[in-house]
Amino acid sequence: MTLDHDAIYKAYPDAVSINNSTGALKADGTQITLVQSDIDAARVTLDAEAAAVKYKTDRTTDGSTTYDTIGNQLDMLYADMLAGKLDTTGTWATHIKAVKDANPKP
């Protein structure tokens, strides 16, 4: 049996050790009685928490619709300043909008 360690730690915050063969233990060595419905509910919570912030990593790692490097963004801002485009029509603003549109907050 393979245990869902993350969900067990979420469901049982007093667990300090989890082993696939011995189960979960408290700090004093006491065995924790695992209840599958508690573990399943914790997994649902963990998945929801991960989905709520997934857009953040997508904005930095999701191919062509990611934020450019800070250096390149500063170059965009400088070019926009010289062109008098420090509004939503500038290169930097349109770049940021494209990334946010491609990877919206849930």
Side-chain angles (χ1 to χ4, degrees):
M1 171 174 72
T2 301
L3 301 176
D4 185 344
H5 292 215
D6 292 336
I8 292 169
Y9 282 123
K10 181 76 170 175
Y12 303 96
D14 55 344
V16 296
S17 173
I18 300 173
N19 182 294
N20 285 343
S21 59
T22 60
L25 302 174
K26 295 181 182 180
D28 64 2
T30 306
Q31 183 83 30
I32 297 173
T33 302
L34 301 177
V35 178
Q36 190 61 49
S37 61
D38 292 341
I39 298 168
D40 293 344
R43 172 50 51 205
V44 168
T45 300
L46 287 170
D47 290 348
E49 291 170 353
V53 295
K54 183 180 180 302
Y55 75 94
K56 292 179 182 181
T57 55
D58 289 349
R59 288 179 180 182
T60 58
T61 61
D62 192 25
S64 63
T65 55
T66 59
Y67 290 130
D68 208 333
T69 64
I70 295 296
N72 286 345
Q73 287 188 47
L74 289 171
D75 285 344
M76 287 179 213
L77 285 169
Y78 180 70
D80 288 347
M81 285 189 320
L82 293 178
K85 289 188 168 190
L86 288 179
D87 57 16
T88 59
T89 66
T91 305
W92 180 81
T94 56
H95 167 71
I96 297 300
K97 182 175 181 350
V99 173
K100 289 179 180 280
D101 287 350
N103 303 288
K105 287 182 181 179

